[in-house]
Amino acid sequence: MKKIMYLIYYIRETPKDKFFKFLNYASEKSKKSFITLFFDSIQSTWKYNISLLDYFYFRFFEKDNEERKKWAGTGYMYEYQLKMNPKNFRKLLEDKRIFLNTYSKFVIHSHVTLEQIKLDSLEFLKVMQNPSGKIVFKDALGQCGFGIQIDEAKKWNREDIIAYMELKGFNLLESFVQQANELQLMSPSGLNTIRIFTQLTSKNEVVFLGSRLRITINSNVDNMASGNIAAVIDESSGVVISEGVFSDITKENCKVHPITGVKIVGFQIPFWKETLELVREAALLQTGNRSVGWDIAITDIGPELIEGNHNWCKLLWQLPVQRGLKYLIEPYNV
């Protein structure tokens, strides 16, 4: 019954235009017919607990049964993350207002809630007078960077900000984070963050499951879902060791940034040692969430924590390394 419910969910939630775009691409690449790939994708959701789009993201149309078993798909990750990060602990990460207060030790940039703005708090002045001159409007419960708005602070007064946030459903205002010069030169359109995946063992030891550089391409957010790329960071050195990959399977990998021309492979992440130390300490601060995807900004004075994700992205984790990584988390999913 559970498999039937998953299948119904996958069919209902799959964007039909993207499905058929990927289906057409896969047919051309594999020389297999539409009907063959269509039924194989349906069968794969049942057999490997993946979504219809996972079939294409993971390029199952090019893989045999043994390779397919290695990938952690939508259904598997949902169950794993629900076990690792129970619903009663997730609020710490889901609500950015709670997150910023709980993990304030690791946060540099100023931020203020709508309620605090109405009280004309000192924190509001800090946000409006931040060195970047820019402010960021957010929904504290927003996901994947959707709904974020960036603007010049000088264009706004307190009354207009309150009215605008109430109108648009924003409840959090932050200062714009100025990234390190090296990252700014690579891609100035948005904040390029580091995603580090952690797992706590039964003894509360921190295990690093992987590190990725998220690179913006003409976007003010760096999520792959917004058309950006991601690359693998070597944990021991902080050096990028893979090309940038898209989640759109019809696009080629990037050896250099497509706009600035900065080389991706060999790029050194500044303050790497400090970044790993920050993440290790953050992972142990609240151990109710056992497996988290941490987003870190690198500034000219060091790393700072931006966000923690209980439902961290399986695509960002696996696509840049171009192989299934289920084996890394299976020992904990017992």
Side-chain angles (χ1 to χ4, degrees):
M1 178 59 70
K2 183 170 71 173
K3 288 186 176 182
I4 294 175
M5 296 301 295
Y6 269 126
L7 180 58
I8 293 172
Y9 173 80
Y10 295 146
I11 293 173
R12 186 180 71 237
E13 296 297 317
T14 299
K16 302 303 183 290
D17 55 343
K18 181 177 286 189
F19 176 83
F20 286 107
K21 173 186 175 181
F22 286 179
L23 181 62
N24 182 65
Y25 172 85
S27 179
E28 291 179 359
K29 282 288 183 178
S30 66
K31 307 303 181 185
K32 298 175 184 177
S33 69
F34 276 38
I35 196 69
T36 297
L37 293 174
F38 177 80
F39 281 109
D40 190 33
S41 67
I42 295 292
Q43 184 181 41
S44 293
T45 66
W46 190 276
K47 190 173 183 179
Y48 306 105
N49 204 5
I50 65 170
S51 74
L52 290 170
L53 289 183
D54 288 347
Y55 175 86
F56 298 103
Y57 290 136
F58 300 159
R59 303 185 77 93
F60 273 16
F61 52 89
E62 297 174 336
K63 292 177 170 59
D64 61 24
N65 181 59
E66 289 305 309
E67 279 298 312
R68 292 178 178 191
K69 290 178 181 178
K70 298 176 182 179
W71 292 77
T74 296
Y76 181 89
M77 291 301 293
Y78 171 77
E79 294 175 8
Y80 160 75
Q81 290 170 337
L82 188 60
K83 183 181 295 184
M84 294 299 110
N85 310 315
K87 291 184 177 180
N88 56 315
F89 289 107
R90 291 183 171 193
K91 198 71 172 178
L92 284 171
L93 305 177
E94 287 179 326
D95 191 322
K96 294 177 179 62
R97 294 164 296 188
I98 300 174
F99 177 84
L100 290 168
N101 287 328
T102 303
Y103 294 89
S104 59
K105 177 181 180 180
F106 313 105
V107 178
I108 300 173
H109 71 284
S110 51
H111 49 89
V112 63
T113 65
L114 177 57
E115 290 74 18
Q116 290 173 312
I117 296 173
K118 290 178 179 179
L119 296 173
D120 202 10
S121 70
L122 179 61
E123 290 303 315
F124 174 63
L125 292 179
K126 290 181 181 178
V127 172
M128 297 304 291
Q129 296 172 3
N130 81 84
S132 74
K134 297 178 181 179
I135 53 177
V136 184
F137 295 91
K138 289 184 177 181
D139 173 4
L141 299 176
Q143 294 278 314
C144 300
F146 297 126
I148 289 176
Q149 184 175 328
I150 302 170
D151 210 342
E152 300 291 332
K154 63 184 180 181
K155 293 166 56 177
W156 297 87
N157 60 43
R158 190 171 71 92
E159 290 75 19
D160 288 343
I161 283 178
I162 292 171
Y164 186 74
M165 291 180 71
E166 290 181 332
L167 176 66
K168 295 293 185 177
F170 294 120
N171 47 29
L172 184 64
L173 189 70
E174 298 184 8
S175 59
F176 183 81
V177 177
Q178 293 180 292
Q179 62 192 341
N181 186 58
E182 296 92 330
L183 289 161
Q184 182 71 9
L185 290 173
M186 172 177 276
S187 182
S189 64
L191 181 63
N192 306 284
T193 63
I194 312 301
R195 169 70 63 85
I196 298 180
F197 310 96
T198 62
Q199 173 72 48
L200 294 181
T201 69
S202 58
K203 297 180 180 179
N204 282 341
E205 299 164 322
V206 179
V207 176
F208 291 99
L209 300 174
S211 304
R212 310 289 180 256
L213 173 60
R214 305 197 299 176
I215 306 168
T216 61
I217 300 178
N218 280 345
S219 175
N220 61 11
V221 296
D222 59 1
N223 303 80
M224 293 183 80
S226 298
N228 300 301
I229 56 177
V232 180
I233 303 171
D234 176 62
E235 184 185 313
S236 63
S237 64
V239 173
V240 176
I241 57 174
S242 80
E243 297 176 345
V245 302
F246 293 92
S247 61
D248 185 339
I249 65 170
T250 68
K251 294 184 177 181
E252 296 293 328
N253 296 348
C254 298
K255 295 182 179 179
V256 301
H257 191 282
I259 306 299
T260 65
V262 173
K263 289 183 179 180
I264 295 172
V265 178
F267 183 86
Q268 175 68 59
I269 306 297
F271 298 105
W272 184 245
K273 178 182 177 182
E274 293 85 350
T275 298
L276 292 180
E277 290 173 352
L278 182 155
V279 170
R280 184 178 286 105
E281 192 173 347
L284 292 170
L285 183 65
Q286 297 286 342
T287 59
N289 292 297
R290 312 291 296 172
S291 188
V292 179
W294 305 97
D295 292 342
I296 304 99
I298 309 296
T299 75
D300 281 328
I301 61 173
E304 74 159 307
L305 194 55
I306 300 298
E307 204 169 76
N309 301 272
H310 66 80
N311 55 345
W312 48 268
C313 181
K314 64 189 180 297
L315 302 183
L316 177 60
W317 185 41
Q318 297 174 109
L319 295 189
V321 298
Q322 299 183 57
R323 68 179 187 274
L325 297 178
K326 187 192 290 184
Y327 74 95
L328 289 178
I329 57 178
E330 279 183 318
Y332 310 103
N333 193 22
V334 293

Coordinates of all heavy atoms in Angstrom, one line a residue, residues 238-316:
G238 N 39.6 21.8 1.0 CA 38.7 22.9 0.7 C 38.9 23.4 -0.8 O 38.4 24.5 -1.1
V239 N 39.4 22.5 -1.6 CA 39.6 22.8 -3.0 C 38.4 22.1 -3.8 O 38.1 21.0 -3.6 CB 40.9 22.3 -3.6 CG1 41.0 22.4 -5.1 CG2 42.1 23.0 -2.9
V240 N 37.9 22.9 -4.8 CA 36.8 22.3 -5.6 C 37.5 21.3 -6.6 O 38.4 21.6 -7.3 CB 36.1 23.4 -6.4 CG1 35.1 22.8 -7.4 CG2 35.4 24.4 -5.5
I241 N 36.9 20.1 -6.7 CA 37.5 19.0 -7.4 C 36.6 18.5 -8.5 O 36.9 17.5 -9.1 CB 37.9 17.9 -6.5 CG1 36.7 17.3 -5.7 CG2 39.1 18.3 -5.6 CD1 37.1 16.1 -4.9
S242 N 35.5 19.1 -8.8 CA 34.6 18.7 -9.9 C 34.1 19.9 -10.7 O 34.2 21.0 -10.3 CB 33.4 17.9 -9.4 OG 32.4 18.8 -8.9
E243 N 33.6 19.6 -11.9 CA 33.0 20.6 -12.7 C 31.7 21.0 -12.0 O 31.1 20.2 -11.2 CB 32.7 20.1 -14.1 CG 34.0 19.8 -14.9 CD 33.8 19.2 -16.2 OE1 32.6 18.7 -16.5 OE2 34.7 19.1 -17.0
G244 N 31.1 22.1 -12.4 CA 29.8 22.5 -11.9 C 28.7 21.8 -12.7 O 28.8 21.7 -13.9
V245 N 27.8 21.2 -12.0 CA 26.7 20.5 -12.6 C 25.3 21.1 -12.4 O 25.1 21.8 -11.4 CB 26.6 19.0 -12.2 CG1 28.0 18.3 -12.4 CG2 26.3 18.9 -10.7
F246 N 24.5 21.0 -13.4 CA 23.1 21.5 -13.3 C 22.2 20.3 -12.9 O 22.5 19.1 -13.1 CB 22.6 22.0 -14.6 CG 23.2 23.2 -15.1 CD1 24.4 23.1 -16.0 CD2 22.8 24.5 -14.8 CE1 25.0 24.3 -16.5 CE2 23.4 25.6 -15.3 CZ 24.5 25.5 -16.1
S247 N 21.0 20.6 -12.3 CA 20.0 19.6 -12.1 C 19.2 19.4 -13.4 O 18.6 18.3 -13.5 CB 19.1 20.0 -10.9 OG 18.4 21.2 -11.2
D248 N 19.3 20.3 -14.3 CA 18.7 20.1 -15.6 C 19.6 19.2 -16.4 O 20.7 19.6 -16.9 CB 18.6 21.5 -16.3 CG 17.8 21.4 -17.7 OD1 17.8 20.3 -18.2 OD2 17.3 22.4 -18.1
I249 N 19.2 18.0 -16.7 CA 20.0 17.0 -17.4 C 20.3 17.3 -18.8 O 21.2 16.7 -19.4 CB 19.4 15.6 -17.3 CG1 18.1 15.5 -18.1 CG2 19.2 15.2 -15.8 CD1 17.5 14.1 -18.2
T250 N 19.6 18.3 -19.4 CA 19.9 18.6 -20.8 C 21.0 19.6 -20.9 O 21.5 19.9 -22.0 CB 18.6 19.3 -21.4 OG1 18.3 20.5 -20.8 CG2 17.4 18.4 -21.2
K251 N 21.6 20.1 -19.8 CA 22.7 21.1 -19.8 C 24.0 20.4 -19.5 O 24.1 19.5 -18.7 CB 22.4 22.2 -18.8 CG 21.2 23.1 -19.2 CD 21.0 24.2 -18.2 CE 19.9 25.1 -18.6 NZ 19.7 26.3 -17.7
E252 N 25.0 20.9 -20.2 CA 26.4 20.4 -20.0 C 27.0 20.9 -18.7 O 26.7 22.0 -18.3 CB 27.3 20.7 -21.2 CG 26.8 20.2 -22.5 CD 27.0 18.6 -22.6 OE1 27.9 18.1 -21.9 OE2 26.1 18.0 -23.3
N253 N 27.9 20.1 -18.2 CA 28.7 20.6 -17.0 C 29.5 21.8 -17.3 O 29.9 22.0 -18.5 CB 29.6 19.4 -16.5 CG 28.8 18.2 -16.0 OD1 27.6 18.3 -15.8 ND2 29.5 17.1 -15.7
C254 N 29.9 22.5 -16.3 CA 30.7 23.8 -16.5 C 32.1 23.6 -15.9 O 32.3 23.4 -14.7 CB 30.0 24.9 -15.9 SG 28.4 25.3 -16.5
K255 N 33.1 23.8 -16.8 CA 34.5 23.8 -16.3 C 34.9 25.2 -15.8 O 35.7 25.3 -14.9 CB 35.5 23.4 -17.4 CG 35.3 22.0 -17.9 CD 36.3 21.7 -19.0 CE 36.1 20.2 -19.5 NZ 37.1 19.9 -20.6
V256 N 34.3 26.2 -16.3 CA 34.4 27.6 -15.9 C 33.1 28.2 -15.7 O 32.1 27.7 -16.2 CB 35.3 28.4 -16.9 CG1 36.6 27.8 -17.1 CG2 34.5 28.6 -18.2
H257 N 33.0 29.3 -14.9 CA 31.7 29.9 -14.7 C 31.3 30.5 -16.1 O 32.0 31.2 -16.7 CB 31.9 31.1 -13.7 CG 30.5 31.6 -13.3 ND1 29.8 32.5 -14.0 CD2 29.8 31.4 -12.1 CE1 28.7 32.8 -13.4 NE2 28.7 32.2 -12.2
P258 N 30.0 30.2 -16.5 CA 29.6 30.6 -17.8 C 29.5 32.1 -18.0 O 29.4 32.5 -19.2 CB 28.2 29.9 -17.9 CG 27.8 29.7 -16.5 CD 29.0 29.4 -15.8
I259 N 29.5 32.9 -17.0 CA 29.4 34.4 -17.1 C 30.8 35.0 -16.9 O 31.3 35.8 -17.7 CB 28.4 35.0 -16.2 CG1 27.0 34.3 -16.3 CG2 28.3 36.5 -16.4 CD1 26.4 34.4 -17.7
T260 N 31.4 34.7 -15.8 CA 32.7 35.4 -15.5 C 33.9 34.7 -16.0 O 35.0 35.3 -16.1 CB 32.8 35.4 -13.9 OG1 32.9 34.1 -13.4 CG2 31.6 36.1 -13.3
G261 N 33.8 33.4 -16.4 CA 35.0 32.7 -16.9 C 35.9 32.2 -15.8 O 37.0 31.6 -16.2
V262 N 35.6 32.4 -14.6 CA 36.5 31.9 -13.5 C 36.5 30.4 -13.5 O 35.4 29.7 -13.6 CB 36.1 32.4 -12.1 CG1 36.8 31.8 -11.0 CG2 36.2 34.0 -12.1
K263 N 37.7 29.7 -13.3 CA 37.8 28.3 -13.3 C 37.1 27.7 -12.0 O 37.3 28.3 -11.0 CB 39.2 27.9 -13.4 CG 39.9 28.1 -14.7 CD 41.3 27.6 -14.7 CE 42.0 27.8 -16.1 NZ 43.4 27.3 -16.1
I264 N 36.4 26.7 -12.2 CA 35.7 26.0 -11.1 C 36.6 25.0 -10.4 O 36.8 25.0 -9.2 CB 34.4 25.4 -11.6 CG1 33.4 26.6 -12.0 CG2 33.7 24.6 -10.4 CD1 32.1 26.1 -12.7
V265 N 37.1 24.1 -11.2 CA 38.0 23.0 -10.7 C 39.3 23.7 -10.2 O 39.9 24.4 -11.0 CB 38.3 21.9 -11.7 CG1 39.3 20.9 -11.2 CG2 37.0 21.3 -12.2
G266 N 39.7 23.4 -9.0 CA 40.9 24.0 -8.4 C 40.6 25.3 -7.6 O 41.6 25.8 -7.0
F267 N 39.4 25.7 -7.6 CA 39.0 26.9 -6.8 C 39.2 26.6 -5.3 O 38.7 25.6 -4.8 CB 37.6 27.3 -7.1 CG 37.2 28.6 -6.3 CD1 37.4 29.8 -6.9 CD2 36.5 28.5 -5.1 CE1 37.1 31.0 -6.2 CE2 36.1 29.7 -4.5 CZ 36.4 30.9 -5.0
Q268 N 39.9 27.4 -4.6 CA 40.2 27.2 -3.2 C 39.2 28.0 -2.3 O 39.0 29.2 -2.5 CB 41.6 27.7 -2.8 CG 41.9 27.7 -1.3 CD 42.0 26.3 -0.7 OE1 42.8 25.5 -1.2 NE2 41.1 26.0 0.2
I269 N 38.4 27.3 -1.5 CA 37.5 28.0 -0.6 C 38.2 28.6 0.5 O 39.0 28.0 1.2 CB 36.5 26.9 0.0 CG1 35.8 26.1 -1.1 CG2 35.5 27.7 0.9 CD1 34.9 26.9 -2.0
P270 N 38.1 29.9 0.7 CA 38.8 30.6 1.8 C 38.3 30.1 3.2 O 37.1 29.6 3.3 CB 38.4 32.1 1.6 CG 37.9 32.2 0.2 CD 37.3 30.9 -0.1
F271 N 39.1 30.2 4.2 CA 38.7 29.8 5.6 C 38.2 28.4 5.7 O 37.2 28.2 6.5 CB 37.7 30.9 6.1 CG 38.2 32.3 6.2 CD1 37.8 33.2 5.3 CD2 39.1 32.7 7.2 CE1 38.3 34.5 5.3 CE2 39.6 34.0 7.3 CZ 39.2 34.9 6.3
W272 N 38.8 27.5 5.0 CA 38.2 26.1 5.0 C 38.2 25.5 6.4 O 37.3 24.8 6.8 CB 38.8 25.3 4.0 CG 38.2 23.9 3.8 CD1 38.7 22.7 4.1 CD2 36.8 23.7 3.4 NE1 37.8 21.7 3.9 CE2 36.6 22.3 3.5 CE3 35.8 24.5 3.0 CZ2 35.4 21.7 3.2 CZ3 34.5 23.9 2.7 CH2 34.4 22.5 2.8
K273 N 39.4 25.5 7.0 CA 39.5 24.9 8.3 C 38.5 25.5 9.3 O 37.8 24.8 10.1 CB 40.9 25.2 8.9 CG 41.2 24.6 10.3 CD 42.6 24.9 10.8 CE 42.8 24.4 12.2 NZ 44.1 24.7 12.7
E274 N 38.3 26.8 9.3 CA 37.4 27.5 10.2 C 35.9 27.1 9.8 O 35.1 27.0 10.7 CB 37.5 29.0 10.1 CG 38.8 29.6 10.6 CD 40.0 29.5 9.6 OE1 39.8 28.9 8.5 OE2 41.0 30.1 9.9
T275 N 35.7 26.8 8.5 CA 34.3 26.4 8.1 C 34.0 25.1 8.7 O 32.9 24.8 9.2 CB 34.3 26.4 6.6 OG1 34.5 27.7 6.1 CG2 32.9 25.9 6.1
L276 N 34.9 24.1 8.6 CA 34.7 22.8 9.1 C 34.5 22.8 10.6 O 33.6 22.1 11.2 CB 35.8 21.8 8.8 CG 36.0 21.5 7.3 CD1 37.2 20.5 7.1 CD2 34.7 20.9 6.7
E277 N 35.2 23.6 11.3 CA 35.1 23.8 12.8 C 33.8 24.3 13.1 O 33.1 23.9 14.1 CB 36.2 24.7 13.3 CG 37.6 24.0 13.3 CD 38.7 25.0 13.6 OE1 38.4 26.2 13.8 OE2 39.9 24.5 13.8
L278 N 33.3 25.4 12.4 CA 32.0 26.0 12.6 C 30.9 24.9 12.5 O 30.0 24.8 13.3 CB 31.8 27.1 11.7 CG 30.5 27.9 11.8 CD1 30.6 29.3 11.2 CD2 29.3 27.2 11.0
V279 N 30.9 24.2 11.4 CA 29.9 23.2 11.1 C 29.9 22.1 12.2 O 28.8 21.6 12.7 CB 30.1 22.6 9.7 CG1 29.1 21.4 9.5 CG2 29.8 23.6 8.7
R280 N 31.1 21.6 12.6 CA 31.2 20.6 13.6 C 30.5 21.0 14.9 O 29.8 20.3 15.5 CB 32.6 20.2 13.8 CG 32.8 19.0 14.8 CD 34.2 18.6 15.0 NE 34.7 17.9 13.8 CZ 35.5 18.3 12.9 NH1 36.0 19.6 13.0 NH2 36.0 17.6 11.9
E281 N 30.8 22.3 15.3 CA 30.3 22.8 16.5 C 28.8 23.0 16.4 O 28.0 22.7 17.4 CB 31.0 24.1 16.9 CG 30.7 24.6 18.3 CD 31.5 25.8 18.7 OE1 32.5 26.1 17.9 OE2 31.2 26.4 19.7
A282 N 28.3 23.5 15.3 CA 26.9 23.7 15.1 C 26.1 22.4 15.1 O 25.0 22.4 15.7 CB 26.6 24.4 13.7
A283 N 26.7 21.4 14.5 CA 26.0 20.1 14.5 C 25.8 19.5 15.9 O 24.8 18.7 16.1 CB 26.8 19.1 13.6
L284 N 26.6 19.9 16.8 CA 26.5 19.4 18.2 C 25.7 20.3 19.1 O 25.5 19.9 20.3 CB 27.9 19.2 18.8 CG 28.7 18.0 18.1 CD1 30.2 18.1 18.6 CD2 28.1 16.7 18.4
L285 N 25.3 21.5 18.7 CA 24.6 22.4 19.5 C 23.3 21.9 19.9 O 22.9 22.0 21.1 CB 24.5 23.8 18.8 CG 23.9 24.9 19.7 CD1 24.7 25.2 20.9 CD2 23.7 26.1 18.8
Q286 N 22.5 21.4 19.0 CA 21.2 20.8 19.2 C 21.1 19.5 18.5 O 21.0 19.4 17.3 CB 20.1 21.7 18.7 CG 20.0 23.1 19.3 CD 19.4 23.1 20.7 OE1 18.8 22.1 21.1 NE2 19.7 24.1 21.5
T287 N 21.2 18.4 19.3 CA 21.4 17.1 18.7 C 20.1 16.4 18.4 O 20.1 15.2 18.0 CB 22.3 16.2 19.6 OG1 21.6 16.1 20.9 CG2 23.7 16.7 19.8
G288 N 19.0 17.1 18.5 CA 17.7 16.5 18.2 C 17.6 16.2 16.7 O 16.9 15.3 16.2
N289 N 18.2 17.1 15.9 CA 18.3 16.9 14.4 C 19.6 16.2 14.1 O 20.7 16.8 14.3 CB 18.2 18.2 13.7 CG 16.8 18.8 13.8 OD1 15.8 18.2 13.4 ND2 16.7 20.0 14.5
R290 N 19.6 15.0 13.7 CA 20.8 14.1 13.6 C 21.5 14.3 12.2 O 22.7 14.0 12.2 CB 20.4 12.6 13.8 CG 19.5 12.3 15.0 CD 20.3 12.5 16.3 NE 21.4 11.6 16.5 CZ 22.2 11.7 17.5 NH1 22.1 12.7 18.3 NH2 23.2 10.8 17.6
S291 N 20.8 14.7 11.2 CA 21.4 14.8 9.9 C 21.0 16.1 9.2 O 19.8 16.2 8.9 CB 21.1 13.6 9.0 OG 21.8 13.6 7.8
V292 N 21.9 17.0 9.0 CA 21.6 18.4 8.6 C 22.4 18.8 7.4 O 23.6 18.4 7.3 CB 21.7 19.3 9.8 CG1 21.4 20.8 9.3 CG2 20.9 18.9 10.9
G293 N 21.8 19.6 6.5 CA 22.6 20.2 5.5 C 22.8 21.7 5.8 O 21.8 22.4 5.9
W294 N 24.0 22.0 6.1 CA 24.3 23.4 6.6 C 24.8 24.3 5.5 O 25.6 23.9 4.7 CB 25.5 23.3 7.7 CG 25.2 22.4 8.8 CD1 25.6 21.1 9.0 CD2 24.4 22.7 10.0 NE1 25.1 20.6 10.1 CE2 24.4 21.5 10.8 CE3 23.7 23.8 10.5 CZ2 23.8 21.5 12.0 CZ3 23.1 23.8 11.7 CH2 23.1 22.6 12.5
D295 N 24.2 25.5 5.4 CA 24.6 26.5 4.4 C 25.5 27.5 5.1 O 25.0 28.2 6.1 CB 23.4 27.1 3.8 CG 22.6 26.2 3.0 OD1 23.1 25.1 2.6 OD2 21.4 26.4 2.7
I296 N 26.7 27.7 4.5 CA 27.6 28.6 5.1 C 28.1 29.7 4.1 O 28.4 29.3 3.0 CB 28.9 27.8 5.6 CG1 28.5 26.7 6.6 CG2 29.9 28.8 6.3 CD1 28.4 25.4 6.0
A297 N 28.1 30.9 4.5 CA 28.6 32.0 3.7 C 30.1 32.2 4.1 O 30.4 32.2 5.3 CB 27.8 33.3 3.8
I298 N 30.9 32.5 3.1 CA 32.3 32.8 3.4 C 32.5 34.3 3.2 O 32.3 34.8 2.1 CB 33.3 32.0 2.5 CG1 33.0 30.5 2.6 CG2 34.7 32.3 2.9 CD1 33.2 29.9 3.9
T299 N 32.8 35.0 4.2 CA 33.0 36.5 4.1 C 34.5 36.8 4.2 O 35.3 35.9 4.4 CB 32.3 37.2 5.3 OG1 33.0 37.0 6.5 CG2 30.9 36.7 5.4
D300 N 34.9 38.0 4.1 CA 36.3 38.4 4.1 C 36.9 38.2 5.5 O 38.1 38.3 5.7 CB 36.5 39.8 3.7 CG 36.5 39.9 2.1 OD1 36.9 39.0 1.5 OD2 36.1 41.0 1.6
I301 N 36.0 38.1 6.5 CA 36.5 37.9 7.9 C 36.3 36.5 8.4 O 36.6 36.2 9.6 CB 35.9 38.9 8.9 CG1 34.4 38.8 8.9 CG2 36.3 40.3 8.5 CD1 33.7 39.6 10.0
G302 N 35.8 35.6 7.6 CA 35.6 34.2 8.0 C 34.2 33.7 7.6 O 33.4 34.4 7.0
P303 N 33.9 32.4 8.0 CA 32.6 31.8 7.7 C 31.5 32.2 8.6 O 31.8 32.6 9.8 CB 32.9 30.3 7.8 CG 33.9 30.3 8.9 CD 34.8 31.5 8.7
E304 N 30.3 32.2 8.1 CA 29.1 32.4 9.0 C 28.0 31.5 8.6 O 27.9 31.2 7.4 CB 28.7 33.8 9.1 CG 27.9 34.4 7.9 CD 27.1 35.6 8.2 OE1 26.3 35.6 9.2 OE2 27.3 36.6 7.5
L305 N 27.2 31.1 9.5 CA 26.1 30.2 9.3 C 24.9 30.9 8.7 O 24.5 31.9 9.3 CB 25.7 29.4 10.6 CG 24.8 28.2 10.5 CD1 25.4 27.2 9.5 CD2 24.7 27.6 11.9
I306 N 24.3 30.4 7.6 CA 23.1 31.0 7.0 C 21.9 30.2 7.3 O 20.8 30.8 7.7 CB 23.3 31.2 5.5 CG1 24.5 32.0 5.1 CG2 22.0 31.7 4.9 CD1 24.4 33.4 5.6
E307 N 22.0 28.9 7.3 CA 20.8 28.1 7.4 C 21.2 26.7 7.7 O 22.3 26.2 7.4 CB 20.1 28.2 6.0 CG 18.6 27.9 6.0 CD 17.9 28.2 4.7 OE1 18.1 27.4 3.7 OE2 17.3 29.3 4.6
G308 N 20.2 25.9 8.3 CA 20.3 24.5 8.5 C 19.1 23.8 7.9 O 18.0 24.3 8.1
N309 N 19.3 22.7 7.2 CA 18.2 22.1 6.5 C 18.0 20.7 6.9 O 18.9 19.8 6.8 CB 18.5 22.1 4.9 CG 18.6 23.5 4.4 OD1 17.7 24.2 4.0 ND2 19.9 24.0 4.4
H310 N 16.8 20.4 7.5 CA 16.5 19.0 7.9 C 16.2 18.1 6.7 O 16.4 16.9 6.7 CB 15.3 19.0 8.9 CG 14.0 19.4 8.3 ND1 13.2 18.6 7.5 CD2 13.4 20.6 8.3 CE1 12.2 19.2 7.2 NE2 12.2 20.5 7.6
N311 N 15.7 18.7 5.6 CA 15.3 18.0 4.4 C 16.3 18.3 3.3 O 16.0 18.6 2.2 CB 13.9 18.3 4.0 CG 13.7 19.8 3.8 OD1 14.5 20.6 4.2 ND2 12.6 20.2 3.1
W312 N 17.6 18.2 3.6 CA 18.6 18.5 2.7 C 18.6 17.8 1.4 O 18.1 16.6 1.3 CB 20.0 18.4 3.3 CG 20.3 17.1 4.0 CD1 20.2 16.9 5.3 CD2 20.9 15.9 3.4 NE1 20.6 15.6 5.6 CE2 21.1 15.0 4.5 CE3 21.3 15.6 2.1 CZ2 21.6 13.7 4.3 CZ3 21.9 14.3 1.9 CH2 22.0 13.4 3.0
C313 N 19.0 18.4 0.3 CA 18.8 18.0 -1.1 C 19.6 16.8 -1.5 O 20.8 16.9 -1.6 CB 19.0 19.2 -2.0 SG 18.7 18.8 -3.7
K314 N 18.9 15.8 -2.0 CA 19.6 14.6 -2.5 C 20.3 14.8 -3.8 O 21.3 14.2 -4.1 CB 18.5 13.5 -2.7 CG 17.5 13.8 -3.7 CD 16.4 12.9 -3.8 CE 15.4 13.3 -4.9 NZ 14.7 14.6 -4.6
L315 N 19.8 15.8 -4.6 CA 20.4 16.1 -5.9 C 21.7 16.9 -5.7 O 22.7 16.5 -6.3 CB 19.4 17.0 -6.7 CG 18.1 16.4 -7.0 CD1 17.3 17.3 -8.0 CD2 18.2 15.0 -7.7
L316 N 21.7 17.9 -4.8 CA 22.9 18.6 -4.5 C 24.0 17.7 -3.9 O 25.2 17.9 -4.1 CB 22.6 19.7 -3.5 CG 23.7 20.6 -3.0 CD1 24.4 21.3 -4.2 CD2 23.2 21.6 -2.0

